[in-house]
Amino acid sequence: MAKAQARLTPVPVDVIVKLINEFLGKIDLPEVAHPIMTDFKVDQATKNAALDYNAIKRDNDLNAVNHIVWLKFTMDKFLGVVASGNDCNFDIPPDPANYNDPGRQSRWQYNTSGILIDQLGKKWDERLLVVFPLPGITNKSKSAIDRGIGQYLLKHDVPILDYYSHLF
């Protein structure tokens, strides 16, 4: 499915932001005026985005630091993944032999989106994240909102390279 999505035309970030805000309005969550983030650094050893999750929590009156949905894009402007939580990263395996490397805190070191991006011969745009804080939600609803955003974007013809990540 990633190959099929990569054959489609990428949708501009501002259109994606508008669609997500439209979705949030439908579920009675506030619009996020400025979700596009470019003022962060990426730790080149771990590929983790150095976001101040505590500041995001405080500034947006969140119940927990992981009550955000975030989006990553490829260098050629494809939406790579819709994800939730406080673990924004730009990890890609160095080569296919490393796809199943064991991780320290999870079963696998590399996530599906990084593997798919590698298989497609693409690279993450490490200068861009789109972050939607979700005030007033619970941990259970966070996953449902993540899935809902992904499905809403697909319904509006936004290709997502990690197509299945938000369908379960």
Side-chain angles (χ1 to χ4, degrees):
M1 185 55 87
K3 289 179 182 176
Q5 293 290 290
R7 286 192 292 271
L8 301 173
T9 303
V11 173
V13 174
D14 61 325
V15 173
I16 293 171
V17 167
K18 181 178 179 241
L19 287 168
I20 293 172
N21 275 323
E22 185 177 287
F23 174 81
L24 293 175
K26 290 176 185 279
I27 60 170
D28 295 323
L29 283 174
E31 179 177 308
V32 178
H34 303 288
I36 297 171
M37 300 185 75
T38 58
D39 62 342
F40 62 92
K41 301 286 185 211
V42 176
D43 180 316
Q44 291 305 308
T46 65
K47 290 300 189 178
N48 290 329
L51 296 180
D52 187 344
Y53 296 104
N54 288 317
I56 294 171
K57 177 184 181 287
R58 180 186 63 248
D59 296 346
N60 294 282
D61 198 26
L62 304 182
N63 291 332
V65 294
N66 66 343
H67 288 182
I68 63 172
V69 169
W70 49 275
L71 292 78
K72 291 188 298 190
F73 294 81
T74 60
M75 292 299 290
D76 58 351
K77 306 300 181 212
F78 275 95
L79 174 54
V81 69
V82 176
S84 61
N86 57 330
D87 58 351
C88 299
N89 70 77
F90 292 93
D91 215 5
I92 292 180
D95 61 61
N98 298 101
Y99 287 174
N100 293 321
D101 286 357
R104 287 181 226 177
Q105 295 184 4
S106 66
R107 186 170 176 195
W108 309 112
Q109 178 174 348
Y110 299 102
N111 57 41
T112 305
S113 62
I115 292 170
L116 290 171
I117 297 309
D118 185 60
Q119 287 183 341
L120 293 169
K122 296 183 180 295
K123 300 289 181 204
W124 291 124
D125 183 347
E126 295 182 8
R127 302 163 298 170
L128 172 66
L129 278 171
V130 178
V131 177
F132 287 86
L134 305 171
I137 67 159
T138 64
N139 282 334
K140 185 175 181 180
S141 62
K142 175 182 63 108
S143 295
I145 293 167
D146 171 3
R147 288 189 307 273
I149 288 172
Q151 291 173 19
Y152 194 79
L153 292 175
L154 290 170
K155 178 182 170 187
H156 288 86
D157 300 320
V158 175
I160 304 173
L161 299 177
D162 192 354
Y163 182 90
Y164 294 109
S165 68
H166 44 271
L167 294 178
F168 300 103

